[in-house]
């Protein structure tokens, strides 16, 4: 049975966002921020209310990288501590069952963009008539809608994807972006991931959301796609700046049809210029950026012939 390490840090409201952003780097299923006590409604005028206390919580697998991850988290929190007082992270080992239940308690539907709602499978929502709901079991693959890089992609897909296209979701994780594209506009989506488990979960999630006939999920990466000679009108790549830059050197831009669009996410603001240079080298023209916190999404076009 897989076991998980729960990391939790108790902090005030101001520190909790910064901590959550750090933990997101290692806790790929998401990070929950939980309120510990309900503050009283009223305070005497001369009484100072205590800082609101929150618990930031995330999980990573207990495997041979776990000690290394702990050391990295401790280091990251140590750096934050230089700017703002930070408590020590607390680590607990939990088994798979407790992990799944812990998440069930923490997950809530999230509204993203204008019409999208990400609904964890065990929760209910009351949608507005135009809402598009994506029901997800967080499972084991990244992509539950809580990460800023995913949210930026969902917003960009909703705002700028033209209808009836052939779409590629490269690095599909849970399939969240492929499903959003299929539910909103796309005719056909190819979802690719190097991780076999991500492909399996994408197929399950596509089925769950009634778009299985529009989505083809396969294990692979850039090479598989380049050699297949399949080309796309719209491509979404939410991996990491480093991976995107490497792929640009391997003709990533060729996957986009002339006149097509591609969006790139997983980029920290300080890396955005380097990613744009790489995108130009692979024949794409960056034309817009979106930002959430430190994260940047770049929108680019392949010029029409
Ligand atoms: N698209 C999802 C998941 C993003 S996480 C979302 O937006 O939420 C990034 C995913 O890319 C992971 O599932 C990882 O397995 C996959 N990945 C990483 N490197 C890759 C590569 N070289 N080729 C294909 N997929 C890759």
């Amino acid at each position: 049975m897989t076991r998980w390490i729960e990391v939790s840090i108790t902090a005030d409201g101001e520190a909790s966002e910064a901590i959550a952003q750090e933990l997101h780097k290692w806790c790929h299923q998401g990070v929950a921020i939980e309120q510990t006590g309900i503050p009283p409604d009223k305070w005497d005028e001369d009484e100072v209310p205590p800082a609101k206390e929150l618990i930031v919580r995330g999980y990573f697998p207990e495997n041979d990288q776990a000690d290394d991850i702990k050391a990295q988290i401790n280091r990251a929190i140590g750096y934050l501590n230089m700017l703002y007082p930070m408590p020590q992270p607390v680590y607990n080992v939990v088994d798979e069952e407790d992990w799944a239940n812990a998440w069930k308690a923490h997950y809530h539907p999230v509204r993203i963009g204008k019409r999208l709602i990400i609904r964890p499978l065990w929760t209910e929502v009351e949608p507005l008539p135009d809402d598009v709901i994506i029901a997800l079991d967080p499972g084991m693959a990244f992509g539950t809608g809580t990460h800023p890089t995913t949210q930026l992609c969902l917003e960009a897909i909703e705002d700028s994807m033209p209808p009836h296209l052939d779409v590629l979701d490269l690095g599909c994780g849970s399939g969240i972006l492929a499903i959003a594209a299929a539910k909103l506009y796309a005719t056909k989506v190819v979802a690719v991931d190097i991780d076999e488990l991500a492909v399996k979960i994408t197929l399950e999630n596509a089925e769950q959301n009634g778009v299985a006939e529009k989505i083809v999920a396969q294990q692979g990466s850039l090479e598989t796609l380049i050699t297949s000679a399949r080309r796309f009108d719209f491509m979404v790549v939410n991996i990491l700046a480093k991976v995107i830059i490497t792929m640009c050197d391997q003709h990533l831009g060729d996957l986009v049809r002339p006149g097509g669009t591609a969006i790139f996410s997983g980029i920290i603001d300080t890396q955005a210029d380097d990613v744009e240079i790489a995108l130009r080298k692979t024949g794409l023209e960056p034309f817009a950026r979106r930002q959430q916190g430190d994260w940047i999404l770049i929108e680019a076009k392949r010029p029409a012939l």
Side-chain angles (χ1 to χ4, degrees):
M1 183 195 271
T2 316
R3 300 216 304 169
W4 293 81
I5 296 179
E6 179 191 78
V7 48
S8 59
I9 302 178
T10 305
D12 64 27
E14 212 163 314
S16 63
E17 283 300 323
I19 295 172
Q21 282 214 354
E22 284 305 325
L23 294 190
H24 259 301
K25 294 177 190 160
W26 296 281
C27 306
H28 283 193
Q29 273 73 26
V31 174
I33 302 181
E34 208 184 299
Q35 200 156 330
T36 53
I38 313 287
D41 290 341
K42 274 203 242 142
W43 295 95
D44 289 341
E45 262 169 39
D46 50 5
E47 196 180 352
V48 181
K52 204 165 73 177
E53 215 176 55
L54 302 164
I55 300 179
V56 189
R57 221 188 278 277
Y59 299 85
F60 53 93
E62 190 197 38
N63 55 23
D64 51 8
Q65 286 155 28
D67 282 341
D68 191 36
I69 292 176
K70 275 191 198 172
Q72 292 189 61
I73 292 176
N74 290 343
R75 203 173 318 134
I77 301 301
Y79 284 136
L80 288 178
N81 191 40
M82 295 178 189
L83 307 168
Y84 196 88
M86 289 283 159
Q88 286 298 307
V90 176
Y91 298 96
N92 281 308
V93 178
V94 293
D95 65 30
E96 183 95 42
E97 223 167 90
D98 293 338
W99 173 78
N101 287 330
W103 273 126
K104 286 181 196 184
H106 295 316
Y107 267 99
H108 305 286
V110 204
R111 183 174 276 283
I112 295 168
K114 298 175 201 80
R115 299 162 55 204
L116 288 167
I117 298 179
I118 312 300
R119 178 176 73 81
L121 275 183
W122 44 82
T123 62
E124 307 223 343
V125 280
E126 284 183 29
L128 300 170
D130 282 344
D131 282 345
V132 173
I133 297 176
I134 302 175
L136 283 185
D137 184 334
M140 303 295 156
F142 182 99
T144 50
T146 50
H147 197 273
T149 62
T150 310
Q151 294 191 3
L152 284 166
C153 290
L154 290 167
E155 285 166 12
I157 289 170
E158 186 183 28
D159 291 346
S160 38
M161 182 187 281
H164 313 306
L165 299 181
D166 266 348
V167 175
L168 171 65
D169 177 4
L170 183 53
C172 58
S174 64
I176 184 169
L177 304 178
I179 293 166
K183 282 204 141 183
L184 283 164
Y185 318 109
T187 303
K188 192 102 215 146
V189 187
V190 175
V192 174
D193 204 292
I194 39 169
D195 179 359
E196 193 183 348
L197 185 61
V199 174
K200 180 171 163 279
I201 291 175
T202 294
L203 290 171
E204 284 168 12
N205 285 334
E207 187 78 42
Q208 176 77 39
N209 285 279
V211 285
E213 77 290 354
K214 284 190 175 182
I215 296 179
V216 176
Q218 63 190 59
Q219 192 182 358
S221 186
L222 183 62
E223 313 81 68
T224 343
L225 291 156
I226 296 269
T227 48
S228 80
R230 253 205 98 160
R231 301 299 176 252
F232 302 88
D233 305 303
F234 196 98
M235 172 169 83
V236 22
V237 188
N238 180 16
I239 309 187
L240 285 174
K242 203 172 65 189
V243 181
I244 296 170
I245 291 172
T246 309
M247 286 185 171
C248 285
D249 291 338
Q250 298 160 352
H251 310 289
L252 177 61
D254 288 1
L255 295 178
V256 184
R257 288 194 183 119
T261 304
I263 59 175
F264 301 90
S265 192
I267 303 161
I268 306 276
D269 51 6
T270 51
Q271 305 166 323
D273 289 345
D274 288 343
V275 174
E276 290 198 349
I277 291 169
L279 291 178
R280 288 203 176 84
K281 277 198 221 146
T282 193
L284 299 172
E285 280 178 6
F287 65 89
R289 285 185 185 187
R290 290 167 189 258
Q291 180 151 14
Q292 192 174 319
D294 295 338
W295 295 98
I296 301 276
L297 174 142
I298 298 173
E299 298 182 57
K301 269 221 155 301
R302 173 137 185 226
L305 290 174

